[in-house]
């Protein structure tokens, strides 16, 4: 790469159009503040350029140095994640991570947020979030095979929240269904803290052969830079900056910043790019995502140790009179940037024409380490490329422990909840929108397209079969903002452990993690403390459980009304080594013994029971012993692979009795539970202690399971049998729950549809 002392700045026009301020006006009127840059950053830009930036150059720096593109506030923390492992083919730094799954195949996956756009325009905001993550995956050369999501909204009783929820789900469904990628799983939670700023995280999973793995890189002096896809418009300009600030009362005025998606175009783009990958003629490929043409071109040049010159006159445009500033910063959707060998332009164009896609050679790779942009015969930007990507100013912040944290440490929520009636409490928890059936959501998704879905939405993890192989991929998203609010380190670790546990319960070995870090403003010391603690907890969990972080997303400034629960979302992908190991959560046959693996403690802080009974959360969340968690996985996977397990269900939100009820719903089979415990019944049934799983096992394997668990030091209790059509729970010889499965399922299935119908009846 060209060294800083070798940089030579050409003469740059001072003003592209009469409507744009001059470099002198920018400095005198401090107009850089409007673009999210502070005075020190503006001075650093001057130092990098050796002179005052013009409006176009300032815009380029503003998006590339935004938190959304540069992670300048979070980068020091992200370095704490374990990112290496025997299966890692591609870690953080590319469009998505890639892990080896054997047989010359790899799984590619990533999670990405689209929170701010969804808060302003929920349908398009959520839809284009899906489109962006799909492009991240196929830009790696992988064919997308599954979509998941993780959604957070305010209280569903609020009409505005119901509107955001309904439109977001509709946008997700529309985009995925049209492109033809099954949406196979996810999670939805509701809490007052998300009232003004919903969280919409989309995850995409793809597969490829090792030799098809692509990177977003620009190398080879003189090689053409090819623009492919939709024309550039004025939508999404400064979307990266918009995502790097708090939403305020004027957020609705930023509606023009929200991009409009075209999933039909995306489908063509996907197929064309994968055909080019198979032909082996691509040097580099990258999605024009956040910061559009600017980010894709500068990042590809920086990763290639090269430079680039762009001619904006060649950029396909769908609006007239666009300025360089607008073309470079537009975030119009369904666009890709390619670099190929010089002389292969016609071969590329032939493929793109076949798929009826617009394309144009918009630039060339150079060897001088500079990013030069020309428009109408003029040089409108001349910037050392690594100052945009590698030399971003990093902000080293210090966190401050919030006052509430110590106040909660000595509380014991179990004491105030022990008087509750378990049967009434179960009805309330099952009817809570956080626990209730999400069928209202996933029935809108096509989860069977491509016919590879082995486990549909509704179980612990989704499972996708691998074509031509006797193996499958399991995948899950998880997170609990309440736990992270009460104790960020514990909550962060639990987010990783629960997502991995879901995958294990499906019969899969957890392979790796992608994360979406949704937090408030890092400029607030208490929020930065939450972020730092959560990252530490997640990092430790990933190290102990052997699940490296191969990519993800940081989304900060997610608050508009006070505070928001810190919400790291974790996506885990696992490998089912043989298809007959695939396991689901519902009880399968009468007479099976029901086992509880793991120990139950009086842990109701941040629990669903506490929330539905008291309307707020307090106290410490459950503890997590990662070594015990790891042993639990080994026992479950061994038992599944030996053919002993009929069903497996993670015991988490809502506690043991909720897990049992959900296990009954699939086939309508009841359960007779008898337990001896020193705990109060309400605590025993609704505690959310970690590292617990409910298994149903045929009687002939019951003793073998006990021996296996004992060998690994995992607590294992036979607590009942599958049978009948009621859920009957007897604790210390006293019946505390005795209700028909049909009635419980009615409460569970009907809660969200009933709440959503409030908008049509009020």
């Amino acid at each position: 790469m060209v060294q800083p002392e070798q940089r030579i700045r050409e003469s740059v026009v001072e003003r592209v159009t009469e409507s744009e301020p001059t470099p002198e006006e920018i400095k005198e009127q401090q107009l850089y503040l409007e673009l999210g840059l502070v005075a020190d950053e503006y001075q650093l830009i001057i130092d990098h350029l050796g002179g005052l930036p013009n409006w176009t150059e300032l815009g380029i720096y503003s998006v590339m140095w935004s938190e959304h593109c540069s992670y300048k506030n979070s980068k020091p923390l992200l370095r704490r994640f374990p990112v290496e492992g025997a299966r890692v083919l591609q870690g953080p730094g590319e469009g998505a991570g890639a892990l080896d799954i054997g047989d010359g195949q790899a799984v590619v996956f990533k999670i990405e947020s689209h929170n701010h756009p969804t808060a302003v325009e929920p349908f398009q905001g959520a839809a284009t979030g899906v489109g962006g993550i799909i492009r991240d995956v196929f830009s790696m050369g992988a064919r997308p095979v599954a979509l998941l999501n993780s959604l957070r909204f305010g209280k569903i009783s609020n009409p505005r929240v119901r509107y955001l929820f309904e439109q977001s789900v509709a946008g997700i469904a529309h985009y995925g269904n049209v492109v033809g990628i099954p949406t196979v799983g996810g999670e939805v939670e509701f809490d007052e803290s998300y009232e003004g700023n919903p969280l919409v995280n989309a995850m995409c999973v793809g597969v490829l052969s090792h030799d098809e793995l692509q990177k977003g890189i620009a190398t080879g002096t003189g090689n053409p830079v090819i623009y492919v896809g939709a024309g550039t418009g004025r939508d999404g300009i400064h979307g990266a900056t918009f995502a790097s600030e708090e939403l305020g009362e004027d957020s609705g005025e930023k509606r023009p910043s929200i991009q409009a998606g075209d999933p039909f175009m995306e489908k063509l783009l996907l197929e064309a790019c994968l055909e080019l990958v198979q032909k082996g003629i691509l040097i580099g490929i990258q999605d024009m995502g956040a910061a559009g043409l600017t980010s894709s071109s500068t990042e590809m040049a920086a990763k290639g140790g090269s430079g680039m010159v762009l001619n904006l006159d060649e950029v396909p445009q769908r609006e007239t009179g666009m300025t360089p500033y607008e073309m470079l910063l537009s975030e119009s959707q369904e666009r890709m940037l390619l670099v190929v060998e010089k002389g292969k332009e016609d071969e590329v164009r032939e493929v793109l024409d076949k798929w009826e896609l617009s394309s144009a050679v918009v630039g060339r790779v150079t060897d001088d380490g500079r990013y030069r942009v020309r428009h109408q015969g003029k040089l409108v930007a001349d910037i050392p490329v690594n100052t945009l990507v590698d030399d971003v100013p990093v902000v080293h912040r210090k966190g401050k422990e919030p006052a509430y944290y110590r106040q909660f440490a000595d509380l014991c929520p179990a004491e105030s909840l022990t008087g509750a009636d378990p049967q009434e409490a179960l009805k309330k928890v099952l009817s809570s929108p956080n626990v209730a059936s999400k069928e209202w959501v996933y029935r809108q998704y096509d989860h069977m397209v491509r016919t590879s879905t082995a486990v549909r939405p509704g179980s612990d993890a989704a499972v996708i079969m691998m074509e031509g192989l006797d193996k499958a991929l399991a995948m899950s998203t998880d997170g609990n903002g309440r736990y992270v609010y009460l104790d960020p380190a514990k909550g962060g670790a639990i987010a990783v452990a629960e997502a991995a546990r879901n995958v294990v319960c499906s019969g899969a070995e957890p392979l790796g993690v992608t994360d979406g870090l949704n937090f408030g403003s890092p400029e607030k010391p208490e929020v930065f403390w939450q972020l730092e603690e959560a990252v530490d907890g997640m990092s430790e969990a990933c190290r102990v459980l052997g699940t490296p972080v191969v990519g993800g997303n940081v989304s900060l400034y997610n608050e508009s009304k006070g505070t928001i629960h810190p919400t790291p979302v974790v996506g885990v992908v696992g490998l089912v080594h043989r298809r007959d190991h695939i396991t689901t959560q519902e009880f399968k046959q009468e007479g099976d013994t029901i086992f509880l693996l793991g120990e139950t403690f009086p842990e109701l802080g941040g629990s669903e029971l506490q929330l539905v009974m008291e309307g707020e959360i307090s106290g410490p969340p459950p503890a997590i012993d990662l070594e015990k968690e790891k042993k639990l996985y080994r026992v479950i996977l061994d038992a599944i692979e030996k053919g002993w397990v009929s069903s497996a269900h993670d015991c988490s939100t809502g506690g043991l009795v909720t897990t049992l009820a959900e296990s009954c719903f699939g086939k309508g089979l009841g359960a007779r539970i008898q337990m001896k415990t020193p705990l109060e019944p309400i605590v025993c049934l609704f505690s959310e202690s970690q590292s617990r799983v409910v298994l149903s096992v045929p009687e002939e394997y019951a003793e073998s399971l006990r021996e296996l668990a004992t060998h690994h030091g995992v607590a294992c209790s036979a607590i009942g049998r599958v049978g009948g059509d009621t859920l009957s729970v007897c604790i210390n010889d006293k019946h505390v729950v005795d209700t028909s499965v049909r009635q419980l399922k009615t409460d569970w299935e009907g809660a969200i549809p009933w709440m959503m119908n409030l908008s049509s009846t009020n």
Side-chain angles (χ1 to χ4, degrees):
M1 181 175 286
V2 176
Q3 297 300 311
E5 60 268 23
Q6 296 175 290
R7 299 178 187 140
I8 301 173
R9 178 174 167 83
E10 293 184 15
S11 176
V12 180
V13 295
E14 294 185 352
R15 206 171 195 172
V16 177
T17 70
E18 290 298 317
S19 62
E20 290 182 352
T22 65
E24 291 74 20
E25 289 171 339
I26 292 170
K27 181 177 181 179
E28 291 168 4
Q29 300 173 32
Q30 297 183 316
L31 298 181
Y32 51 83
L33 297 174
E34 297 178 8
L35 303 187
L37 295 164
V38 298
D40 287 348
E41 291 172 333
Y42 177 67
Q43 183 57 53
L44 189 57
I45 292 169
I46 295 174
D47 295 343
H48 282 318
L49 296 180
L52 298 180
N54 65 20
W55 188 245
T56 299
E57 292 170 323
L58 193 68
I60 292 170
Y61 272 106
S62 74
V63 291
M64 293 305 297
W65 285 10
S66 69
E67 174 63 30
H68 194 68
C69 286
S70 72
Y71 296 166
K72 60 187 176 186
N73 287 285
S74 53
K75 191 175 289 185
L77 303 182
L78 299 180
R79 296 192 182 106
R80 302 180 186 183
F81 283 132
V83 297
E84 297 179 348
R87 292 185 179 271
V88 176
L89 298 178
Q90 177 62 57
E94 287 293 336
L99 295 171
D100 178 20
I101 56 174
D103 298 298
Q105 299 289 299
V107 59
V108 175
F109 61 105
K110 187 183 180 185
I111 198 165
E112 184 82 51
S113 66
H114 230 218
N115 302 334
H116 283 51
T118 303
V120 175
E121 177 50 71
F123 184 94
Q124 289 294 351
T128 52
V130 173
I133 197 65
I134 292 172
R135 291 192 297 279
D136 280 340
V137 166
F138 75 69
S139 71
M140 299 296 295
R143 177 168 291 281
V145 295
L147 291 165
L148 300 91
N149 50 70
S150 179
L151 313 176
R152 298 291 186 279
F153 297 92
K155 295 178 73 171
I156 200 170
S157 57
N158 183 321
R160 171 68 180 171
V161 169
R162 291 198 297 273
Y163 165 75
L164 292 172
F165 177 40
E166 183 176 48
Q167 289 298 304
S168 298
V169 169
I172 291 168
H174 172 68
Y175 209 101
N177 292 354
V178 170
V179 177
I181 302 170
T183 301
V184 296
E187 51 156 5
V188 187
E189 287 193 3
F190 301 86
D191 189 276
E192 191 172 7
S193 76
Y194 307 113
E195 202 85 7
N197 200 144
L199 305 181
V200 173
N201 289 236
M203 177 175 168
C204 185
V205 179
V207 293
L208 51 66
S209 298
H210 289 189
D211 58 359
E212 295 173 336
L213 186 63
Q214 303 292 309
K215 293 188 177 183
I217 189 170
T219 57
T221 302
N223 281 338
V225 179
I226 303 175
Y227 174 119
V228 183
T232 296
R234 291 185 169 91
D235 51 330
I237 293 174
H238 266 297
T241 309
F242 175 47
S244 303
E245 60 187 21
E246 292 183 40
L247 293 177
E249 295 298 325
D250 63 343
S251 296
E253 298 173 8
K254 301 191 177 183
R255 189 174 300 271
S257 293
I258 309 306
Q259 313 95 312
D262 181 353
F264 298 97
M265 174 72 76
E266 180 99 342
K267 174 64 174 174
L268 299 176
L269 199 58
L270 185 160
E271 297 298 342
C273 288
L274 291 184
E275 185 171 333
L276 290 171
V277 168
Q278 290 165 2
K279 287 180 176 292
I281 60 175
L282 295 181
I283 291 173
I285 175 173
Q286 187 157 322
D287 165 40
M288 291 191 221
L293 180 57
T294 292
S295 64
S296 55
S297 55
T298 58
E299 288 172 2
M300 291 177 80
K303 282 185 281 188
S306 59
M308 190 175 291
V309 58
L310 295 181
N311 180 4
L312 297 184
D313 298 341
E314 301 300 324
V315 171
Q317 300 167 53
R318 65 171 189 264
E319 298 186 46
T320 59
M322 293 188 70
T323 65
Y325 180 98
E326 291 172 328
M327 282 186 274
L328 288 166
L329 272 60
S330 166
E331 293 184 8
S332 295
Q333 296 291 288
E334 293 83 40
R335 302 180 302 160
M336 304 293 289
L337 204 63
L338 314 178
V339 174
V340 301
E341 287 184 24
K342 186 176 182 180
K344 293 191 175 181
E345 293 92 333
D346 289 343
E347 192 175 349
V348 173
R349 190 175 298 111
E350 182 180 350
V351 172
L352 299 177
D353 288 348
K354 167 188 167 183
W355 292 100
E356 299 181 346
L357 289 168
S358 297
S359 65
V361 175
V362 297
R364 298 281 172 182
V365 178
T366 63
D367 62 358
D368 59 5
R370 301 195 71 84
Y371 183 65
R372 294 187 174 93
V373 182
R374 299 185 181 277
H375 179 244
Q376 296 180 353
K378 299 177 182 177
L379 184 67
V380 297
D382 181 8
I383 300 172
V385 71
N386 59 350
T387 67
L388 296 171
V389 181
D390 301 321
D391 296 340
V392 176
V394 176
V395 183
H396 295 275
R397 299 190 181 278
K398 289 187 177 181
K400 178 183 177 183
E401 185 181 281
Y404 73 79
Y405 176 67
R406 292 294 168 187
Q407 295 171 0
F408 287 155
D410 297 326
L411 294 180
C412 183
E415 293 177 358
S416 63
L417 293 165
T418 52
D421 175 72
Q423 188 151 299
E424 285 301 310
L426 177 58
K427 179 180 176 68
K428 287 186 177 182
V429 168
L430 289 176
S431 300
S432 161
N434 293 331
V435 172
S437 169
K438 304 306 186 295
E439 186 179 0
W440 183 91
V441 176
Y442 61 72
R443 74 184 179 199
Q444 300 181 50
Y445 304 150
D446 186 341
H447 46 263
M448 293 303 293
V449 64
R450 298 181 59 82
T451 67
S452 60
T453 308
V455 177
R456 306 179 187 187
S459 199
D460 278 0
V463 180
I464 296 290
M465 292 181 290
M466 299 285 292
E467 186 176 352
L469 297 174
D470 185 28
K471 59 177 65 174
L473 294 172
M475 53 208 72
S476 178
T477 58
D478 216 310
N480 190 315
R482 300 198 300 266
Y483 290 171
V484 183
Y485 170 71
L486 296 174
D487 189 317
K490 285 183 185 177
I494 288 172
V496 174
E498 286 199 357
R501 200 182 312 136
N502 287 337
V503 164
V504 168
C505 286
S506 71
E509 171 198 355
L511 300 183
V513 161
T514 180
D515 62 79
L517 303 178
N518 304 275
F519 286 76
S521 169
E523 298 166 32
K524 299 173 182 176
E526 293 82 1
V527 171
F528 190 79
W529 178 84
Q530 292 173 332
L531 175 61
E532 185 171 27
E533 290 285 304
V535 167
D536 283 345
M538 295 170 71
S539 299
E540 180 64 14
C542 289
R543 272 189 289 271
V544 174
L545 300 180
T547 52
V549 177
V550 295
N553 169 246
V554 180
S555 177
L556 305 181
Y557 300 96
N558 286 296
E559 68 247 275
S560 60
K561 297 179 180 178
T563 61
I564 191 169
H565 281 169
T567 311
V569 173
V570 174
V572 170
V573 171
L575 180 62
V576 182
H577 293 279
R578 279 178 33 195
R579 290 187 182 187
D580 60 4
H581 295 161
I582 296 172
T583 307
T584 55
Q585 69 183 35
E586 69 272 6
F587 294 143
K588 305 294 192 306
Q589 58 190 10
E590 298 250 1
D592 277 2
T593 303
I594 300 170
F595 283 94
L596 173 63
L597 271 60
E599 299 175 86
T600 303
F601 302 99
E603 296 177 309
L604 290 171
S607 67
E608 195 63 32
L609 179 70
Q610 184 185 47
L611 186 64
V612 300
M613 299 300 285
E614 299 185 343
E616 59 184 11
I617 59 169
S618 63
I624 177 81
D625 184 327
L626 294 167
E627 290 297 337
K628 284 186 177 180
E629 186 82 22
K630 190 174 183 179
K631 292 176 182 178
L632 177 72
Y633 297 172
R634 187 67 271 150
V635 171
I636 295 169
L637 287 175
D638 278 357
I640 287 174
E641 291 172 0
K642 291 177 186 297
W644 299 346
V645 177
S646 298
S647 71
H649 191 8
D650 166 37
C651 186
S652 54
T653 304
L656 172 60
V657 71
T658 302
T659 303
L660 291 167
E662 291 172 343
S663 299
C664 292
F665 293 155
K667 293 186 178 297
L669 287 172
R672 299 182 298 277
I673 307 298
Q674 292 195 6
M675 302 175 66
K676 297 286 187 180
T677 174
L679 299 174
E680 290 289 333
I682 199 79
V683 177
C684 173
L685 295 180
F686 293 95
S687 168
E688 295 184 5
S689 293
Q690 295 298 297
S691 308
R692 297 184 301 161
V693 168
V694 169
L695 302 181
S696 65
V697 174
E699 180 60 29
E700 61 264 34
Y701 302 126
E703 188 56 37
S704 298
L705 177 66
R706 287 190 186 93
E707 292 174 359
L708 178 66
T710 300
H711 174 73
H712 287 282
V714 173
C716 177
S717 305
I719 61 173
R721 288 190 182 277
V722 177
D725 58 5
T726 64
L727 175 59
S728 173
V729 181
C730 185
I731 294 181
N732 298 332
D733 300 321
K734 180 181 178 181
H735 274 89
V736 293
V737 174
D738 193 3
T739 307
S740 72
V741 171
R742 178 179 295 180
Q743 182 57 56
L744 292 173
K745 189 174 182 181
T746 297
D747 294 337
W748 177 74
E749 284 185 332
I752 289 181
W754 180 82
M755 294 174 190
M756 293 306 293
N757 284 336
L758 289 175
S759 57
S760 61
T761 58
N762 287 352

